[in-house]
Amino acid sequence: MSRIAAAVLLLLSLSSPSRADSLEIVKGDVVLRTGAGEQSLTQSHDISKAVSSPDGAWIAYVRHFPPTKEEEEALPEGRSELWLVDRTGTNRRLLLTGTANGEVERTTAEINNILFGLAGDRIYFLTTAWAVSNAIHRDQGGSYDDIWLVTPDGKTVRRVADSMEKARRKMP
């Protein structure tokens, strides 16, 4: 192998996140474990969920706040914020602050089930809505009880089922 090819392979191995990297919530903070050790990416002690992008370059996480006295009736579970940070712990951005609304379809207070799209350029999540189900929020608004197949850019492909139970029965 030429020296140039070896140098390129070395650079790629140093710059690409390892598939063995893992994320964990430790004492309310996001910890990234790599072959080189571990690094705490947050210091807020209120992280409830975290997920890595497919390429490992970004981490989306949810900060959870208990309800204030003023929020107790509208937000009994409290509220959340959705954040994004790179794997070095820098380039931190607040993406969404959960809010209450008189209409449950427009409330985004308790963010959960976060995940990146396959391309890593979108983050999907659910929010607590009714007592028995979550809500999916899209640009068009509203929430849905039916299970839908949707493309990464938000276009509806087709209805899969009218409940998660029926959708699971259709799975091989």
Side-chain angles (χ1 to χ4, degrees):
M1 178 173 6
S2 75
R3 286 185 183 178
I4 293 174
V8 168
L9 286 175
L10 178 62
L11 281 173
L12 286 173
S13 68
L14 291 175
S15 63
S16 299
S18 165
R19 292 287 176 218
D21 293 354
S22 66
L23 284 179
E24 189 175 333
I25 307 293
V26 177
K27 296 181 181 177
D29 283 308
V30 180
V31 174
L32 175 64
R33 291 198 167 94
T34 67
E38 65 180 47
Q39 175 185 4
S40 183
L41 300 179
T42 62
Q43 291 81 37
S44 60
H45 314 300
D46 55 11
I47 308 302
S48 60
K49 299 154 189 67
V51 64
S52 180
S53 63
D55 65 0
W58 294 95
I59 291 89
Y61 63 92
V62 176
R63 292 184 68 190
H64 180 77
F65 304 94
T68 63
K69 287 282 188 194
E70 298 79 29
E71 294 173 329
E72 280 181 352
E73 189 174 324
L75 303 172
E77 300 296 320
R79 62 181 173 80
S80 302
E81 292 177 344
L82 180 60
W83 287 79
L84 187 66
V85 66
D86 69 15
R87 65 182 282 113
T88 66
T90 58
N91 296 314
R92 189 174 322 278
R93 285 188 278 176
L94 173 63
L95 300 177
L96 176 71
T97 298
T99 58
N101 187 296
E103 298 175 39
V104 71
E105 295 87 358
R106 298 190 185 282
T107 297
T108 58
E110 179 65 21
I111 299 165
N112 56 65
N113 294 349
I114 56 174
L115 62 102
F116 278 89
L118 294 176
D121 61 343
R122 293 178 187 255
I123 300 172
Y124 297 92
F125 60 90
L126 298 175
T127 63
T128 301
W130 299 270
V132 295
S133 66
N134 288 312
I136 299 172
H137 297 270
R138 302 181 2 184
D139 291 341
Q140 296 87 1
S143 64
Y144 304 89
D145 293 325
D146 294 345
I147 309 302
W148 293 86
L149 179 60
V150 180
T151 66
D153 61 352
K155 293 180 181 155
T156 301
V157 176
R158 70 180 175 87
R159 182 175 167 267
V160 176
D162 63 5
S163 72
M164 197 59 175
E165 181 181 325
K166 288 180 183 175
R168 284 188 184 108
R169 279 191 242 145
K170 291 183 179 184
M171 297 171 84

